[in-house]
Amino acid sequence: MKFLDAEFVQGFIRMAKDGWEQGWHERNGGNLSYRVKPEEVVSVEENFEKKEWQPIGTFVPKLAGEYFLVTGSGKFFRNVAIKPEDSICMIELDGSGENYRIVWGLVNGGRPTSELPSHLMNHEVKKNATNGKYRVIYHAHPANIIALTFVMPLNDTVFTRELWEMATECPVVFPSGIGVVPWMVPGGKEIAVATSKLMERYDVAVWAHHGLFAAGEDFDLTFGLMHTVEKSAEILVKVLSMDQGKRQTIKVQEFRDLAKAFGVELPEEFLYEKLYVKKD
């Protein structure tokens, strides 16, 4: 099978294109990775041209020997659908989980995303936490969620509660809540470690003044999670810009009723009583 004809590759390309069309990927902003299934590796391995081993910059032993499809460093999401062979690559990890090598893609040179340590550390966390079900890690720059990091406390509890209130589906889509990482230099091990700690509990984390980081089982669920959080943030930005305060909102007991109806568990720490004052 030709590499670009594989269903998982087409799904990856479609997700990158969808993110670009949402306006989440200015210039070379954002990155995407997918932990490839063994049978998918077999289906495309005839296309492999294995390059030299390179250090990952971190240590992910539980991912040793696995393959990942990732966007390239400095590559533009808008070009993934146009020139996939130049914009993305497939990598293989060695038996120690300390090095990687490109086996397909980036035909004009380059390396995987600069956020590779963050992606792989979080893949390792989610693989362990979900018995291998989670395979997608996605980082984007949605404008509304970034805007909120300048005016809201950088606090998991506050971000979760405010975004839950903006749309009824939010507690159902991300019932475990949202984590918040304070601003850190992107691309290094420090932000990777901070994010992976949050991902032990959450499926999505806000990177203050930078963007959003999400994990999921497949392309649709992960993109849908990112989309839901950003739409909720957009509603909150509009509400705050009206400067009238909330006249009404979803109440604590109503969150509990919603959780019961949809069979999800909402942590009580997010269900604190709030005082709303109507401004006339």
Side-chain angles (χ1 to χ4, degrees), residues 15 21 31 45 126 203:
M15 184 166 169
E21 291 177 346
N31 26 76
E45 63 183 353
K126 300 311 283 188
D203 287 342

Tab-separated table of all heavy atoms in Angstrom, residues 15 21 31 45 126 203:
chain	number	residue	atom	x	y	z
A	15	MET	N	-7.380	15.878	9.867
A	15	MET	CA	-7.432	16.596	11.139
A	15	MET	C	-6.573	17.855	11.074
A	15	MET	O	-6.966	18.913	11.578
A	15	MET	CB	-6.974	15.695	12.284
A	15	MET	CG	-7.097	16.348	13.646
A	15	MET	SD	-6.952	15.135	14.969
A	15	MET	CE	-6.802	16.199	16.396
A	21	GLU	N	-8.334	25.167	9.059
A	21	GLU	CA	-9.537	25.881	8.642
A	21	GLU	C	-10.280	26.526	9.810
A	21	GLU	O	-11.037	27.475	9.617
A	21	GLU	CB	-10.458	24.939	7.869
A	21	GLU	CG	-9.869	24.541	6.512
A	21	GLU	CD	-10.712	23.546	5.746
A	21	GLU	OE1	-11.627	22.939	6.357
A	21	GLU	OE2	-10.451	23.354	4.542
A	31	ASN	N	0.950	21.445	16.648
A	31	ASN	CA	1.536	20.174	16.258
A	31	ASN	C	0.565	19.033	16.585
A	31	ASN	O	-0.322	19.174	17.423
A	31	ASN	CB	2.896	19.927	16.930
A	31	ASN	CG	3.037	20.664	18.249
A	31	ASN	OD1	2.468	20.254	19.261
A	31	ASN	ND2	3.763	21.767	18.242
A	45	GLU	N	4.930	-0.393	5.795
A	45	GLU	CA	6.378	-0.484	6.025
A	45	GLU	C	7.184	-0.666	4.746
A	45	GLU	O	8.394	-0.376	4.730
A	45	GLU	CB	6.689	-1.607	7.019
A	45	GLU	CG	6.311	-2.982	6.556
A	45	GLU	CD	6.598	-4.039	7.635
A	45	GLU	OE1	7.200	-3.672	8.664
A	45	GLU	OE2	6.212	-5.203	7.447
A	126	LYS	N	-0.886	8.696	28.781
A	126	LYS	CA	-2.243	8.315	28.373
A	126	LYS	C	-2.312	6.841	27.970
A	126	LYS	O	-3.339	6.186	28.194
A	126	LYS	CB	-2.724	9.204	27.218
A	126	LYS	CG	-2.770	10.686	27.549
A	126	LYS	CD	-3.464	11.016	28.851
A	126	LYS	CE	-4.960	10.959	28.798
A	126	LYS	NZ	-5.602	11.476	30.027
A	203	ASP	N	-7.839	15.155	30.199
A	203	ASP	CA	-7.602	14.888	28.780
A	203	ASP	C	-7.225	16.153	28.025
A	203	ASP	O	-6.885	16.086	26.839
A	203	ASP	CB	-8.850	14.276	28.124
A	203	ASP	CG	-9.073	12.842	28.533
A	203	ASP	OD1	-8.128	12.200	29.032
A	203	ASP	OD2	-10.210	12.342	28.361
